[in-house]
Amino acid sequence: MILRCIECRREYPIDKVRHRCECGDLLEVVHDMGTLRKKVSSQLFDERLAKREFPYNSGVWRYKELILDIENKFIISRPEGNTNLYQADKVGEYVGIKNIWLKHEGENPTGSFKDRGMSCAISVAKMLGFKKVACASTGNTSASMASYADLAGMESIVFIPKGKIAFGKLAQALAYGAKTIQIKGDFDDAMKLVQEVCQELEIYLLNSINPFRIEGQKAIGFEVLQQLDWQVPDWFILPGGNLGNNTALSKGFRELYQIGMINRIPRMAVIQAQGANPLYTMWKEKTPFTAVKAETIASAVKIGNPVSWKKSIRGIEWSRGVVEQVTDQEIMDAKAFVDASGIGAEPASCCSIAGAKKLVKAGVIDKKERVVAVLTGNLLKDPDAVVNYHLGRLKGIKSRYANKPIMMESSLKAVRKVLE
Ligand code: F0G
C-alpha cells in the first residue's frame, strides 16, 4: 500500500504525513492488487457480517483489506456504516423507475456518510501520532470529525463559513467539543485556509483531500453490493459537492473489478445543484475546470471550487458515468417525496433523487435498469429549509408538495371538523 500522485505518479510511503504531492496535485492510496486478489472474497465479508466482532462489526472495517490494512489497535470506530438500503414505491413512482434502492447514509452515527471516511482517516491520524485534527466544513464533516476526535482523544478544530452552516450541525460540533472557528467567507475560503493551517501548524487534515477519507467512503459501494447479494446494479447516483464521495465509489468499484470480484463497473451519475455546478459545466461543455461562486439551498453542497474534481472526472470516465444538475426547486420537490415516504433526508441528499428523475426522463437511465441512489445525510439537517418549504416561505421556491401545519382552537369539535 502506497500513496501515489494522480498526475505525476510520484510515490510516497503511507506512514509519512503528506496532504498533497510535491507537484501540488492530489494523492491516492494504491493497493497491491495481487495481495487483494488472494486475500478477499465475498464469502469472507459474509462470514464477518455473521460474526459482528470488532472491527468487522463496522460497515467500513468489514472490508478492511480493501480499505486500509492497518493494525487493529489504531482503529477508531463507532462503528459506522451498516446503513439501510430501502425500496420506496413513492420515490420510485416519482422518479419513474421500478428498481430503485435508497442507500441511507444519513443513518450513520453522526448523521452522514462522512463517518465512514472519518473512521478511516482518523485511524491514520492515530497511527501517525497526531494529537490535533482539523477540517473545513459545510456541516457534516465537522460533526463527524468532532465526534471521532473525541473517541480518539484528539483535539479537533473546525473551520466553517460564518452563518452559512445548518444549525444542527453547528450544534453537534460545539457539543462534541470541537474548537469551532467561523470565518468570514464561504466553504471554499475555509477549505483554502485549513490547508494552509494544517501545513504550517502540524495538524492533521481530515477533509476529503485526505486520501484515507476516500478509502473509507468506498465502503458505501461495497456494503450496497453485499446487501444486493453481490449483484451489481446498473447505476449509482449521488450528489456532488467537494466531489470526494463519488471519487470514492468509483475507485472502490474499479478495484473490485480489477481483482475479479465484480464483472462490470456500475455507471456513476453525479448530481450537482445548479448554483454550485462547476463539474457539470466542465463535463457538459467540455471546458477546462472553472470554479464558481456557489449558491444553493442544499447547504452541504454549496461548494464552488471542489478539491477532488480531477479524481471525480476520472472516476466518471472509468464508469461511463454522467454529470447532471438540478435546481433548488427540483431538489425540494424530490425531498418532499423522500420525506413523505417515511425515509427522509437532507436537501443535498435529494439531488440524487431529483437527478435520477431527470436522467430517467431524458432516457439516459433506462426504465428497466437497476438504480441505487445514495442519500448522504439525515432529515434533521437543514430543518429551516424543511419547515419553510412546508410553510410556503422559501424565496423563489414553490411549495408544491407542502404539508402545512393547521392552526385552530383547542377543542374536540375543532379537531373533528379538521379531520373530517
Ligand atoms: N451530501 C452531504 C449530506 C454532504 O454533507 C456533502 C458534503 C455532500 C453530499 C457532497 O459530498 O463533498 O464528497 O461531493 N459535505 C461537506 C461537509 C463538504 O463539509 O460536510 P462530496
Side-chain angles (χ1 to χ4, degrees):
M1 218 168 28
I2 48 151
L3 286 175
R4 190 167 67 198
C5 174
I6 61 162
E7 202 56 57
C8 75
R9 302 181 77 77
R10 201 171 311 183
E11 294 181 355
Y12 303 91
I14 69 152
D15 57 358
K16 295 274 171 334
V17 188
R18 271 227 87 92
H19 294 129
R20 280 185 183 269
C21 177
E22 265 166 45
C23 78
D25 226 307
L26 303 176
L27 298 171
E28 70 178 342
V29 175
V30 180
H31 295 269
D32 177 352
M33 291 299 161
T35 311
L36 285 183
R37 219 168 277 135
K38 279 189 227 128
K39 273 189 166 177
V40 307
S41 64
S42 53
Q43 291 90 313
L44 173 70
F45 301 136
D46 288 345
E47 278 164 27
R48 287 178 181 172
L49 188 60
K51 281 199 205 133
R52 307 194 68 85
E53 74 197 39
F54 176 89
Y56 308 123
N57 56 346
S58 152
V60 171
W61 298 100
R62 179 174 314 126
Y63 315 100
K64 190 178 173 209
E65 294 79 358
L66 293 168
I67 307 270
L68 189 69
D69 210 354
I70 57 172
E71 283 182 65
N72 286 355
K73 67 178 185 197
F74 296 123
I75 293 178
I76 309 290
S77 170
R78 282 200 53 168
E80 45 294 314
N82 299 313
T83 58
N84 285 305
L85 187 65
Y86 295 99
Q87 276 202 294
D89 291 348
K90 261 191 200 165
V91 176
E93 276 163 34
Y94 182 70
V95 170
I97 195 165
K98 203 160 165 272
N99 293 316
I100 182 166
W101 286 266
L102 310 182
K103 176 64 170 167
H104 207 329
E105 287 296 295
E107 294 174 350
N108 270 290
T110 74
S112 82
F113 72 93
K114 306 284 178 178
D115 292 342
R116 294 185 186 257
M118 201 53 73
S119 174
C120 188
I122 206 150
S123 300
V124 174
K126 185 165 177 195
M127 187 175 80
L128 296 175
F130 276 90
K131 294 275 176 281
K132 289 185 188 176
V133 290
C135 71
S137 184
T138 55
N140 283 319
T141 303
S142 64
S144 180
M145 185 186 75
S147 161
Y148 279 82
D150 285 344
L151 279 189
M154 295 176 194
E155 191 184 328
S156 61
I157 306 137
V158 305
F159 293 84
I160 52 176
K162 189 164 185 285
K164 290 178 190 156
I165 86 160
F167 235 61
K169 288 289 149 178
L170 176 59
Q172 265 179 299
L174 295 174
Y176 289 130
K179 191 163 277 171
T180 305
I181 301 173
Q182 297 188 280
I183 63 148
K184 284 186 199 144
D186 57 16
F187 171 83
D188 299 304
D189 298 318
M191 189 64 231
K192 189 159 166 270
L193 178 63
V194 75
Q195 291 184 68
E196 273 172 44
V197 169
C198 288
Q199 189 65 35
E200 294 301 316
L201 305 184
E202 291 190 15
I203 299 172
Y204 196 59
L205 179 59
L206 283 176
N207 279 101
S208 57
I209 188 175
N210 181 320
F212 300 106
R213 278 275 313 275
I214 303 291
E215 291 311 293
Q217 282 161 214
K218 293 188 315 192
I220 300 172
F222 301 157
E223 202 176 88
V224 169
L225 292 190
Q226 190 165 24
Q227 285 168 311
L228 294 176
D229 216 5
W230 303 102
Q231 303 295 310
V232 183
D234 297 299
W235 289 91
F236 268 79
I237 309 191
L238 60 170
N242 218 9
L243 302 177
N245 211 24
N246 66 85
T247 292
L249 268 76
S250 321
K251 183 174 188 286
F253 291 134
R254 188 159 188 262
E255 288 165 352
L256 286 189
Y257 180 73
Q258 285 172 335
I259 62 171
M261 259 187 77
I262 55 176
N263 57 11
R264 66 188 168 87
I265 298 177
R267 297 181 73 183
M268 197 67 60
V270 180
I271 316 297
Q272 292 207 295
Q274 195 168 302
N277 65 353
L279 190 80
Y280 172 78
T281 308
M282 178 190 184
W283 188 83
K284 185 84 183 167
E285 293 172 14
K286 307 205 171 6
T287 46
F289 176 82
T290 315
V292 301
K293 187 87 191 145
E295 192 52 64
T296 168
I297 195 164
S299 63
V301 291
K302 196 167 150 190
I303 297 172
N305 191 13
V307 168
S308 294
W309 67 266
K310 257 192 205 175
K311 286 182 175 176
S312 172
I313 280 285
R314 190 186 58 168
I316 289 163
E317 281 162 6
W318 284 338
S319 79
R320 296 183 306 115
V322 298
V323 187
E324 186 52 272
Q325 65 173 2
V326 288
T327 61
D328 283 0
Q329 179 74 56
E330 288 167 325
I331 292 171
M332 292 312 283
D333 286 346
K335 179 172 157 50
F337 277 84
V338 173
D339 293 353
S341 65
I343 295 171
E346 70 168 277
S349 303
C350 299
C351 287
S352 302
I353 303 304
K357 184 176 173 68
K358 225 165 161 175
L359 292 170
V360 168
K361 189 162 179 222
V364 177
I365 296 179
D366 188 275
K367 284 188 183 243
K368 286 196 230 62
E369 286 186 303
R370 290 154 50 93
V371 174
V372 175
V374 182
L375 300 177
T376 44
N378 195 283
L379 167 71
L380 292 176
K381 168 105 177 274
D382 289 318
D384 290 356
V386 185
V387 174
N388 286 328
Y389 177 85
H390 290 290
L391 291 174
R393 283 190 195 152
L394 285 182
K395 250 200 213 135
I397 290 185
K398 291 194 190 88
S399 300
R400 290 196 187 120
Y401 307 103
N403 173 27
K404 279 205 181 93
I406 301 157
M407 304 289 188
M408 60 178 201
E409 66 184 64
S410 173
S411 75
L412 176 62
K413 197 172 148 209
V415 173
R416 185 171 277 148
K417 197 165 164 210
V418 166
L419 296 185
E420 275 166 5

